[in-house]
Amino acid sequence: MTATDRSIELINTAAQAAADKLAHDIIAYDVSDVLSITDAFLLASAPNDRQVKSIVDEIEERLNKELGAKPVRREGDREARWVLLDYVDIVVHVQHSEERVFYALERLWKDCPELDLPDEAKATRGKAAEHARFQAEEDSAGTGELR
């Protein structure tokens, strides 16, 4: 079994919305062969809680406006460290970068086929590492440490 056309449409719209809000490392997996409860997972991250919320809000708004889809469940919103949007056909995970590294969902789903995403979403790969390097450089420059 593979992800339905509807699931792929939802994933692509959600991925584009996340990319538009500058999410990092957007990736999607077809989990339909290993899970009976959903077809696909979308993973995205951001370096701070406020951006996580912004990405989640944009995904939710865009899926509702463009495709008439509303999540049946939204979890983790208060802390904004890991927000889950369950659309039944797809599940969207938007994580703070630290949570993304710690939980490493990619390792859990690495055997599932990766779904093709819009170019803007693909271009976000490696952005978390790039941001972390930039932040480390800024932090060391701010403390007067020599590199």
Side-chain angles (χ1 to χ4, degrees):
M1 186 175 190
T2 59
T4 65
D5 290 342
R6 173 69 173 169
S7 297
I8 292 170
E9 182 180 35
L10 290 166
I11 285 286
N12 285 329
T13 301
Q16 185 62 56
D20 291 347
K21 286 294 180 176
L22 307 177
H24 295 168
D25 300 320
I26 302 168
I27 192 165
Y29 293 101
D30 180 340
V31 297
S32 61
D33 283 340
V34 293
L35 293 177
S36 60
I37 57 172
T38 193
D39 281 350
F41 280 167
L42 180 74
L43 310 177
S45 56
N48 61 62
D49 302 353
R50 190 145 92 196
Q51 192 174 357
V52 168
K53 281 186 177 190
S54 177
I55 293 164
V56 168
D57 290 345
E58 183 68 16
I59 290 170
E60 194 169 9
E61 183 179 324
R62 193 92 58 91
L63 287 177
N64 186 21
K65 186 187 289 183
E66 294 179 16
L67 301 174
K70 293 183 180 180
V72 295
R73 192 174 70 204
R74 181 175 175 155
E75 295 182 8
D77 204 28
R78 190 174 338 142
E79 299 83 22
R81 300 290 292 180
W82 181 350
V83 180
L84 180 143
L85 296 172
D86 183 354
Y87 286 89
V88 180
D89 293 327
I90 70 166
V91 175
V92 177
H93 300 269
V94 183
Q95 298 175 297
H96 188 288
S97 298
E98 292 169 359
E99 260 58 29
R100 180 89 178 253
V101 170
F102 183 79
Y103 290 101
L105 295 179
E106 289 91 339
R107 279 188 299 173
L108 290 173
W109 305 110
K110 70 177 188 254
D111 294 334
C112 294
E114 194 176 314
L115 293 171
D116 193 35
L117 295 175
D119 289 339
E120 293 87 350
K122 289 183 208 173
T124 67
R125 307 275 170 86
K127 293 289 184 188
E130 183 180 310
H131 182 269
R133 277 192 305 277
F134 176 76
Q135 195 64 47
E137 287 173 10
E138 260 191 5
D139 290 348
S140 68
T143 60
E145 294 177 14
L146 295 176
R147 292 183 30 86

